[in-house]
Amino acid sequence: MKTDSTTWSTEESADIYGIKNWGADYFSVSDAGEVIVHPHGNGIGVSLRKIVDGLTDRGLDMPVLLRFSDILDSRIKLLHEGFGRAIKDFEYQGHYRGVYPIKVNQQQQVLEEITEFGARYHHGLEAGSKPELIAALSYMHDPEAYLICNGYKDEEFVELGLYACKMGLQCIFVVETPSELELIIDRSKTLDIAPNIGVRLKLSTQASGHWNHSGGERSVFGLNPSQVCDLVDRLKEVDMLDCLQLLHYHVGSQIPNIRDIREAVVEACRVYIGLVNEGAPMGILDLGGGLAVDYDGSHGDTEASRNYNLDEYCVAIVENLASTLAESEVPHPDIVTESGRATVAYYSVLLFNILDESRFEISDLPTELPENAHELLHNLMAVVKVVSLRNAQECFHDAFYYRDEIHERFKRGTMTLRDRALAGSIFWHIITRVAKLTEQMDYIPNELRKLPAMLADIYYGNFSLFQSLPDVWAIDQLFPVMPIHRLDEKPTREVVVADITCDCDGKIDRFVGQHTTRDSLPLHNLTDEEYYLGVFLVGAYQETLGDLHNLLGDTNVITVEVDREGHLNYSRELEGDSVADVLSYVEYDPKNMIRRIRKLAETAVRNDAISAKDRRHIMDAFESGMRGYTYFER
């Protein structure tokens, strides 16, 4: 049932949820009040609600992770075309070679599609472990793409990479610690295979943002300039300096300020020139990751945003390289970036339904206090009667003061339980009135801006934060959250979204706002119709980092393709974990568990606690539960 549809527009919904700011042309709101995904960027789109209806008709339950292959294809295309334009404009002589860091999202489908979509650009891969290297070798067979090997390396890791070189792949070992060089030298001589060597540099430049510890002179990985010189000397000693081809650095996963990107490029370029002057052939400069995603749509220098766009990022890198190299006769190197987050973030959307709600409700305000009421209760009641726009902040402070005094007296036994209950009711009436008055304020004091969150209702979503959105809990990552339908109706509830884990941390209470973050989300009243929320830009890191909190497993995963005519195709369907699956992950044997329950039930039959027919129903329910989805099923 619609409310306020005559006075509320979908444009207003788009503004509230900021979709025009963070949607990057991939997401919009239709006139029918539904979120539309445009997998190719602008142009043809399809309603997320239509996709959900198609899934439920096919018998799939919420929650579900949607993957949009066409968005992944678009992201790779935009990245290469952006660098292509900058290279042409500045007459840069090297090539751009994108590289995808597998750790950002290691799912098989992601890796397969990146190598498929990136083939026309010779888009490569970065492996930071032996399993990732094996996965990369299985899917990337392009002799012109780079396979960058970062991270710690043992003999087996190095030998696999050397065999890749022998088979014609451009596999490059990046030396992260001084000890790794000797291992590479030893195995290459033993196998008689010339290695391609790179070195990771610790820059003095340190970026701002959440992951700034990745850069700087005290970063965990990489060699300082003195150690880089030692590496050069050692390669000269063993007559292998001709193997040194790449300089790599990494100053952060999400760099919000373009200035930091420029400064890092210039510093690394100086070191690159120095290595060429030492006699190393070089040829590749790997800038690592850092291309940020504008999660909150603010286009600002914040942890959840960036103050540049893709074209400005490409220009900043190419322009600074070209101008710095112009002072020397050093040939222009190929440019490599490991832009994983920006490549896959837009690729995935988490959808879930709301199961239940908990409303913020307060008792009716008494018309008068009991005759023997404590003086503090009278004082609190007096505040209620004088709340106005002029003194709202003062009343806010008074309410907290009197309530806290009453709590202290209750703890000491000088006030009764009913006194405390009455104080709570009066207190929340004051806070609710002050919150309402903030809507009329030209300037809202900081302490009053938290009131909507204090008064927010709770909507319980059919998902696990720890499985599907672990960064929300672990590092306060901000993701856009909004309803995918009913956007032609005015949202009338302020809400915090909780998951179905029995954990107080299992909630989303920071949201993208119009101009800043907010502590509650405007949502609609629940009706008999299912209410669906989407969490957007979740393609980077969330799937692999998810855990089994409360033994809630992987969600259903559906790959959606939309052709240029708008035809919808569900191209891949991966069923989420069953209860038996997740129990086996934590070392239970489902068959043994069924035997144990069967024994328990049979004992109950012998003791006349249940009938034989009851036993059959119990075992059917137990075995059905084992096969079922770990999430709530309708």
Side-chain angles (χ1 to χ4, degrees):
M1 185 176 69
K2 295 186 178 182
T3 57
D4 292 329
S5 58
T6 57
T7 58
W8 187 258
S9 71
T10 56
E11 284 290 317
E12 289 173 288
S13 286
D15 288 341
I16 281 183
Y17 300 112
I19 192 170
K20 293 179 182 178
N21 298 324
W22 52 259
D25 294 331
Y26 294 117
F27 303 100
S28 68
V29 176
S30 72
D31 292 339
E34 297 176 349
V35 173
I36 304 296
V37 57
H38 307 271
H40 305 284
N42 284 325
I44 297 298
V46 64
S47 161
L48 290 185
R49 180 57 198 267
K50 178 181 178 181
I51 293 174
V52 168
D53 289 343
L55 295 178
T56 55
D57 288 346
R58 288 167 170 80
L60 272 87
D61 288 311
M62 294 289 112
V64 63
L65 185 76
L66 299 182
R67 293 178 181 156
F68 294 98
S69 297
D70 301 308
I71 290 181
L72 187 57
D73 189 9
S74 169
R75 298 303 295 171
I76 294 172
K77 176 183 177 182
L78 289 173
L79 184 62
H80 283 269
E81 289 182 348
F83 270 104
R85 287 190 295 272
I87 285 171
K88 181 179 180 181
D89 290 345
F90 291 95
E91 299 182 346
Y92 190 82
Q93 301 305 305
H95 299 96
Y96 172 70
R97 290 286 186 265
V99 165
Y100 172 71
I102 297 175
K103 65 177 175 288
V104 177
N105 190 325
Q106 298 118 323
Q107 301 299 319
Q108 180 273 335
Q109 178 190 343
V110 179
L111 194 63
E112 180 180 7
E113 291 186 338
I114 283 177
T115 53
E116 176 187 345
F117 300 146
R120 64 189 185 275
Y121 303 110
H122 306 298
H123 199 90
L125 298 172
E126 181 265 338
S129 68
K130 190 161 44 182
E132 288 185 353
L133 176 57
I134 290 172
L137 292 174
S138 300
Y139 283 90
M140 196 196 78
H141 300 158
D142 182 355
E144 292 189 52
Y146 292 127
L147 175 52
I148 308 295
C149 295
N150 291 329
Y152 285 104
K153 307 164 187 69
D154 60 12
E155 284 191 11
E156 196 169 33
F157 187 115
V158 173
E159 288 183 1
L160 284 170
L162 289 170
Y163 288 135
C165 293
K166 195 167 187 176
M167 290 187 293
L169 298 181
Q170 296 199 60
C171 183
I172 303 171
F173 299 109
V174 177
V175 177
E176 304 263 3
T177 64
S179 62
E180 288 180 358
L181 180 61
E182 293 304 319
L183 176 61
I184 295 169
I185 292 172
D186 175 72
R187 301 320 299 159
S188 64
K189 288 186 176 296
T190 300
L191 297 176
D192 193 26
I193 303 173
N196 301 315
I197 298 176
V199 58
R200 178 168 176 170
L201 172 68
K202 290 183 179 181
L203 295 180
S204 62
T205 302
Q206 189 163 5
S208 58
H210 189 91
W211 289 272
N212 63 351
H213 55 276
S214 298
E217 295 176 324
R218 296 298 298 160
S219 58
V220 175
F221 294 106
L223 277 59
N224 61 40
S226 176
Q227 292 170 322
V228 171
C229 291
D230 291 342
L231 178 141
V232 170
D233 292 340
R234 179 60 179 146
L235 288 175
K236 287 179 179 178
E237 286 179 12
V238 295
D239 196 27
M240 291 178 62
L241 187 60
D242 61 327
C243 296
L244 184 57
Q245 300 179 18
L246 176 145
L247 178 66
H248 169 54
Y249 70 87
H250 181 70
V251 292
S253 171
Q254 164 99 355
I255 303 175
N257 197 322
I258 192 70
R259 181 187 66 248
D260 297 328
I261 293 169
R262 291 179 178 275
E263 291 180 358
V265 167
V266 172
E267 182 182 357
C269 191
R270 293 295 182 190
V271 175
Y272 180 91
I273 293 170
L275 290 172
V276 173
N277 291 337
E278 287 283 339
M282 303 306 288
I284 309 167
L285 182 59
D286 182 353
L287 285 62
L291 175 56
V293 171
D294 194 0
Y295 289 101
D296 65 12
S298 66
H299 312 302
D301 182 7
T302 68
E303 290 185 355
S305 186
R306 65 187 189 195
N307 63 4
Y308 56 92
N309 59 32
L310 177 58
D311 283 336
E312 290 167 339
Y313 172 79
C314 298
V315 166
I317 290 171
V318 176
E319 180 184 23
N320 279 276
L321 279 178
S323 61
T324 305
L325 290 166
E327 303 170 15
S328 68
E329 297 182 358
V330 172
H332 292 180
D334 282 353
I335 301 169
V336 171
T337 66
E338 301 176 7
S339 301
R341 182 184 297 273
T343 301
V344 298
Y346 294 93
Y347 171 55
S348 301
V349 178
L350 175 69
L351 300 181
F352 58 89
N353 54 316
I354 297 299
L355 301 174
D356 204 353
E357 64 180 323
S358 175
R359 286 177 175 264
F360 175 81
E361 295 177 331
I362 53 178
S363 304
D364 292 337
L365 192 66
T367 54
E368 58 182 34
L369 295 176
E371 291 183 6
N372 60 344
H374 194 282
E375 180 183 1
L376 287 172
L377 286 170
H378 284 283
N379 293 342
L380 198 55
M381 193 68 168
V383 176
V384 177
K385 298 176 180 178
V386 298
V387 176
S388 67
L389 185 61
R390 179 182 56 81
N391 66 359
Q393 191 172 10
E394 179 184 354
C395 290
F396 173 84
H397 290 148
D398 288 345
F400 272 94
Y401 173 77
Y402 292 128
R403 186 200 65 168
D404 292 346
E405 285 292 310
I406 291 169
H407 283 183
E408 286 301 316
R409 282 166 171 74
F410 175 73
K411 291 176 186 177
R412 295 197 294 268
T414 59
M415 294 189 77
T416 68
L417 175 60
R418 291 195 177 274
D419 289 335
R420 176 168 175 174
L422 181 55
S425 178
I426 301 171
F427 169 82
W428 286 113
H429 274 281
I430 297 168
I431 297 303
T432 303
R433 291 189 187 183
V434 172
K436 190 68 177 176
L437 288 170
T438 60
E439 299 174 6
Q440 305 173 39
M441 294 181 181
D442 295 328
Y443 169 76
I444 303 175
N446 287 334
E447 56 200 348
L448 301 188
R449 292 178 183 174
K450 297 288 186 180
L451 291 181
M454 291 177 61
L455 304 173
D457 298 325
I458 300 172
Y459 277 14
Y460 297 96
N462 188 18
F463 76 107
S464 164
L465 184 85
F466 306 97
Q467 173 60 242
S468 296
L469 303 170
D471 278 349
V472 172
W473 168 75
I475 57 173
D476 292 326
Q477 175 68 49
L478 190 66
F479 293 106
V481 183
M482 67 179 294
I484 65 168
H485 59 137
R486 295 179 60 185
L487 297 169
D488 54 346
E489 304 173 33
K490 183 177 181 178
T492 57
R493 309 276 292 277
E494 288 292 333
V495 171
V496 168
V497 179
D499 69 4
I500 58 173
T501 65
C502 53
D503 195 308
C504 61
D505 286 338
K507 63 181 179 180
I508 308 176
D509 56 5
R510 285 181 69 241
F511 301 95
V512 173
Q514 288 177 274
H515 306 294
T516 184
T517 58
R518 53 187 303 157
D519 300 316
S520 60
L521 184 68
L523 292 179
H524 305 89
N525 274 316
L526 300 183
T527 66
D528 292 336
E529 178 191 19
E530 287 277 24
Y531 190 55
Y532 297 104
L533 298 187
V535 187
F536 297 80
L537 280 56
V538 299
Y541 295 103
Q542 302 316 293
E543 289 187 71
T544 303
L545 292 178
D547 70 12
L548 294 176
H549 197 291
N550 280 136
L551 296 183
L552 292 167
D554 286 340
T555 67
N556 293 321
V557 179
I558 308 297
T559 298
V560 178
E561 296 174 349
V562 181
D563 65 23
R564 297 288 180 175
E565 284 72 45
H567 299 129
L568 180 63
N569 177 40
Y570 301 93
S571 61
R572 296 196 192 192
E573 180 181 316
L574 301 176
E575 287 190 11
D577 288 329
S578 68
V579 172
D581 290 334
V582 297
L583 287 170
S584 66
Y585 298 157
V586 288
E587 301 177 11
Y588 291 93
D589 180 348
K591 290 183 179 179
N592 182 51
M593 297 173 78
I594 290 173
R595 286 195 296 269
R596 295 171 69 91
I597 290 292
R598 187 179 293 119
K599 181 179 179 180
L600 175 65
E602 187 59 33
T603 300
V605 172
R606 288 200 309 269
N607 294 336
D608 294 325
I610 62 173
S611 68
K613 186 177 291 187
D614 289 335
R615 193 197 98 146
R616 186 183 70 193
H617 293 321
I618 290 170
M619 293 310 301
D620 286 347
F622 189 82
E623 292 180 26
S624 176
M626 279 284 201
R627 294 188 298 269
Y629 200 17
T630 60
Y631 295 92
F632 187 88
E633 297 177 277
R634 294 292 188 186

